[in-house]
Amino acid sequence: EVQVVESGGGLVKPGGSLRLSCAVSGFIFNSAWINWVRQAPGKGLEWVGRIKSRNDDGTTDYAAPVKGRFTISRDDSTGTVYLQMNALITEDTAVYYCTTEPAYDQNWFDPWGQGTPVTVSS
Amino acid sequence: DIQMTQSPSSLSASVGDRVTITCRASRNIARYLNWYQHKPGKAPNLLIYAASNLQSGVPSRFSGSGSGTDFTLTISSLRPEDFATYYCQQTYSVSMYTFGQGTKLEIK
């Protein structure tokens, strides 16, 4: 069974930084694309960004609101993906979900983690 | 960017009803369209992928159809556990995925 577990959320002041982790187990991590999705209070799901597998060039893409502030990286040796969030603003307050895209030609998100909450407030 | 518009934004229905949610893309996305169910405090759950493929373990009362710009999610006979928020998602634009704004399905 594939498991996705996020960690690292918490309270941070505006302008601060936070790093979220996503541990994935139970399947071929090396071929998977890993995505981050967030849900702000009272809002819908918003795609944050994605890192491709190393075999598919390992590049990243980001949504416009976070581009230049957030960075996704992966460690295939441990099955972990990171979301480094810098220059945080109050609008970044949300539950952050990690989710897998099984392969380059399987462009859907399954499974998802339970999410980790991030609050940006002074 | 490809915009995804769902309708309605909210919907009241009764157990046993047939329900249809629509999703429109701002341009042609072929069949790169997925549907998710999301309940408060839970992880979102994949229902339908590639427009019409039922994810393993998802009840057969859920179905999806469409291609190009217009898509539908149908629940043939609502059960109590189906009351949730539903999202469509396009993955045609690999560099920028987008979700619809969501449809909240409530008990009448």
Side-chain angles (χ1 to χ4, degrees), chain A residues 45-114:
Chain A
L45 299 177
E46 179 185 25
W47 180 75
V48 172
R50 180 210 55 242
I51 186 164
K52 295 181 181 178
S53 67
R54 187 169 294 182
N55 286 347
D56 295 314
D57 74 21
T59 55
T60 53
D61 289 290
Y62 301 94
V66 308
K67 202 167 188 177
R69 301 187 298 121
F70 290 12
T71 302
I72 302 173
S73 60
R74 64 190 294 159
D75 181 346
D76 286 1
S77 67
T78 62
T80 305
V81 170
Y82 302 98
L83 177 64
Q84 177 67 43
M85 304 185 293
N86 298 330
L88 284 160
I89 57 178
T90 56
E91 290 81 2
D92 295 320
T93 295
V95 175
Y96 284 74
Y97 296 97
C98 177
T99 178
T100 66
E101 225 174 317
Y104 76 97
D105 58 350
Q106 297 180 28
N107 303 115
W108 48 85
F109 294 180
D110 183 70
W112 298 59
Q114 290 295 316

Side-chain angles (χ1 to χ4, degrees), chain B residues 14-34:
Chain B
S14 301
V15 172
D17 284 354
R18 180 183 180 88
V19 166
T20 297
I21 299 169
T22 64
C23 180
R24 175 163 288 177
S26 59
R27 62 181 178 94
N28 187 346
I29 59 169
R31 295 175 60 83
Y32 289 84
L33 190 284
N34 309 312

